[in-house]
Amino acid sequence: MDLKRILPIFSYIFHPIFVSLYGTLFFFLITNSFFYNSQIIVTLIQVTILTLLLPLSMYFLFRSLGIVTSFTEASISERKMPIAVQAVLLFLLIKFSVSRDTVAELYFFFLGGFFSSVIVLASVILKFKASLHMIGISALTSFIYGLSMYYQLPFVNLIAFCIVCMGLVASSRLYMKAHTYSELIAGILIGAVPQLFLYQYWL
C-alpha cells in the first residue's frame, strides 16, 4: 500500500483530542494495582467527558455555526475558540476531577497540557499556527518517558515507537500541507517543554 495513502490516517489516530485519553489509559494500565476499580472507572469517565465528548460536541456545534470547517486542518482564525474551550476544560479537569493527592502523575500531565493550551492560544492570537497534532503526541511521549523513569519500567521499545509515530504524524501533516517545518517544531516544543518542566514536581 502506498505510504502517502496511509500517512493521513495518523492525523486521525493521533488527533490531539484523543491524547488525554491515551495518556490516562496508559497510566492506569501500568498502575491499576494501586487503585480501586471504581477510582479508575470514575477518572476515565471524567477524562472522557471533559477531553473527548464535550470537545467533540463543541466541534460539531462550531461546525454547524461555521466557526470551524475541518477536524484536522483548521485555519488560524478557526483555532481560537476550540483551543480556548480546551484550555477551560483542562482547567476544570485539574481543578475538580484529577487530584494531585491521588493521581499526581496524571495531574501534572494535564497541567502540562493546560500550559501547552495557553501557549498555543497565545501563538494563535499572534497569528502563528503551531501544530496541535505535534503538541499532543510530543506531550504524550514525554509523559510515557516520565512514567518509565518514575516506575523504573523498561519502556524502551514503546518510547521508540512513540518517536516513530511522531515522525509519521509530522510527515502526515506535511503531506496534507497542513503545516510547515517551523510549525511542526514549534508544536513539539510547546507540547514537550511543559511536560519536561513539570518532571521536577513528580519524578
Side-chain angles (χ1 to χ4, degrees):
M1 185 178 291
D2 190 351
L3 183 60
K4 290 184 177 180
R5 294 182 180 180
I6 299 174
L7 282 176
I9 296 173
F10 289 91
S11 286
Y12 291 93
I13 294 175
F14 292 103
H15 192 283
I17 203 170
F18 301 126
V19 166
S20 295
L21 187 57
Y22 290 163
T24 305
L25 287 169
F26 181 75
F27 170 73
F28 283 125
L29 181 66
I30 64 173
T31 64
N32 62 85
S33 60
F34 302 143
F35 300 96
Y36 294 112
N37 288 336
S38 58
Q39 290 177 293
I40 296 174
I41 292 170
V42 167
T43 303
L44 284 172
I45 290 173
Q46 292 172 332
V47 170
T48 300
I49 291 173
L50 287 173
T51 69
L52 180 61
L53 298 182
L54 278 178
L56 274 177
S57 300
M58 295 301 291
Y59 163 75
F60 287 115
L61 173 62
F62 292 153
R63 183 157 186 168
S64 67
L65 295 174
I67 297 174
V68 298
T69 57
S70 173
F71 187 61
T72 60
E73 300 180 56
S75 65
I76 290 180
S77 61
E78 293 175 343
R79 288 168 163 238
K80 291 181 183 178
M81 191 64 73
I83 293 172
V85 168
Q86 180 190 38
V88 170
L89 292 175
L90 284 173
F91 176 78
L92 293 175
L93 185 66
I94 58 180
K95 182 71 175 178
F96 300 109
S97 299
V98 177
S99 170
R100 180 177 179 178
D101 296 327
T102 55
V103 283
E105 302 94 317
L106 270 186
Y107 173 86
F108 285 110
F109 173 53
F110 290 123
L111 182 60
F114 171 73
F115 288 156
S116 294
S117 297
V118 172
I119 294 170
V120 78
L121 180 59
S123 75
V124 168
I125 292 172
L126 295 173
K127 306 297 184 183
F128 182 76
K129 186 184 173 186
S131 171
L132 300 180
H133 284 75
M134 298 313 296
I135 291 173
I137 194 168
S138 62
L140 180 63
T141 302
S142 300
F143 180 57
I144 291 173
Y145 178 69
L147 289 176
S148 73
M149 290 193 296
Y150 185 75
Y151 290 102
Q152 296 294 299
L153 295 172
F155 292 150
V156 177
N157 292 337
L158 178 59
I159 293 168
F161 173 75
C162 288
I163 293 172
V164 170
C165 287
M166 286 178 64
L168 290 170
V169 171
S171 299
S172 171
R173 305 311 288 157
L174 289 171
Y175 173 70
M176 296 173 73
K177 295 181 171 58
H179 289 289
T180 62
Y181 286 103
S182 61
E183 291 168 350
L184 294 174
I185 293 170
I188 292 171
L189 293 175
I190 294 172
V193 170
Q195 298 293 331
L196 299 176
F197 173 77
L198 291 171
Y199 277 178
Q200 61 187 306
Y201 296 105
W202 64 275
L203 279 185

